[in-house]
Amino acid sequence: MILASKSPRRKEILKQLGFQVKIQVKDVEEISSKVELIDKIKDISYKKVIEVAKENQNSFVVGADTLVEIGGEVLGKPKNENEAREMLEKLSGKEHRVITAYTLINLEKNINISEAVESKVFFKLISREEIDWYIESKEPMDKAGAYGIQGLGAIFVDKIEGDFFSIMGFPINDFVKTLKKLGINIKDIQKI
């Protein structure tokens, strides 16, 4: 299987389940003209995958995109430390949505599926010292919403409602369900 993503978290999730993952990415502008948030993120996920799939017509190509939304505002990856600080201050003491969309394409088999999984994350109140400490770790800099639930950012999370792996960046449970619908069983995943 080809993973159209540089995300070490997505690679790790897929490899843990036994997928033989090869990384191949194309630079794609991560914008969408879709109106609804779910449609936008599915569209961006699709754009990342289709460009790689065109060069690998007989391969299964998968990719994903994750966003954080709070009060109608989408928080992507912070561009700098100040933006990371602003995002963490917005999330402090509040609930937010994490939406991860994934796309699976195999052009030869006429497979083209995009799904999205939504979860809720509840943050505790975060002190200024905790935010400074976290930003110094550099962990928030490559993550939507400026935190990683699987890393140091876990200390900010009071609770979640939904799929931990989706919040981490790839909803593996939903993905396996999609594979089952395609007639691909768990024992066959190493062949993909």
Side-chain angles (χ1 to χ4, degrees):
M1 177 185 298
I2 298 171
L3 176 60
S5 172
K6 295 179 197 166
S7 166
R9 293 161 297 284
R10 292 185 181 118
K11 180 181 178 185
E12 176 189 337
I13 291 168
L14 289 164
K15 287 189 86 153
Q16 279 181 339
L17 208 60
F19 287 97
Q20 305 299 307
V21 179
K22 183 174 101 177
I23 307 293
Q24 187 177 337
V25 294
K26 290 284 185 187
D27 282 331
V28 175
E29 200 172 7
E30 295 188 26
I31 58 169
S32 172
S33 60
K34 304 284 185 191
V35 177
E36 296 296 320
L37 199 52
I38 298 279
D39 294 334
K40 278 181 187 277
I41 191 160
K42 285 167 73 173
D43 187 41
I44 293 168
S45 171
Y46 171 80
K47 287 176 179 178
K48 290 178 175 182
V49 176
I50 191 63
E51 293 307 313
V52 175
K54 287 176 185 174
E55 294 180 0
N56 300 277
Q57 304 252 334
N58 64 346
S59 297
F60 283 92
V61 182
V62 67
D65 197 48
T66 301
L67 64 78
V68 170
E69 181 270 331
I70 182 165
E73 181 182 358
V74 174
L75 305 181
K77 295 175 185 174
K79 293 179 181 70
N80 54 48
E81 289 183 0
N82 285 338
E83 202 169 275
R85 179 173 279 102
E86 288 171 13
M87 288 182 186
L88 291 166
E89 287 170 353
K90 281 179 188 166
L91 296 173
S92 178
K94 296 186 184 97
E95 165 193 335
H96 61 274
R97 292 193 305 164
V98 178
I99 305 168
T100 296
Y102 67 89
T103 299
L104 176 66
I105 297 176
N106 184 310
L107 292 173
E108 186 179 82
K109 296 182 186 301
N110 202 28
I111 295 170
N112 183 344
I113 298 168
S114 288
E115 299 289 344
V117 175
E118 185 177 328
S119 302
K120 289 182 183 174
V121 180
F122 300 81
F123 263 29
K124 70 172 192 160
L125 283 170
I126 309 169
S127 70
R128 178 106 182 139
E129 294 79 26
E130 289 171 317
I131 290 174
D132 290 343
W133 165 81
Y134 190 52
I135 289 172
E136 283 175 26
S137 78
K138 304 293 183 211
E139 184 178 278
M141 301 316 296
D142 68 338
K143 295 173 182 62
Y147 77 95
I149 195 168
Q150 73 286 354
L152 300 174
I155 69 163
F156 304 141
V157 178
D158 258 345
K159 70 176 182 172
I160 68 168
E161 289 177 6
D163 183 333
F164 174 82
F165 289 101
S166 179
I167 298 164
M168 192 171 154
F170 194 82
I172 193 69
N173 185 30
D174 198 79
F175 182 65
V176 170
K177 287 178 188 175
T178 296
L179 293 179
K180 276 188 171 176
K181 289 178 193 170
L182 294 171
I184 301 167
N185 292 314
I186 194 85
K187 63 181 174 48
D188 298 324
I189 59 175
Q190 291 180 340
K191 300 173 192 168
I192 296 177

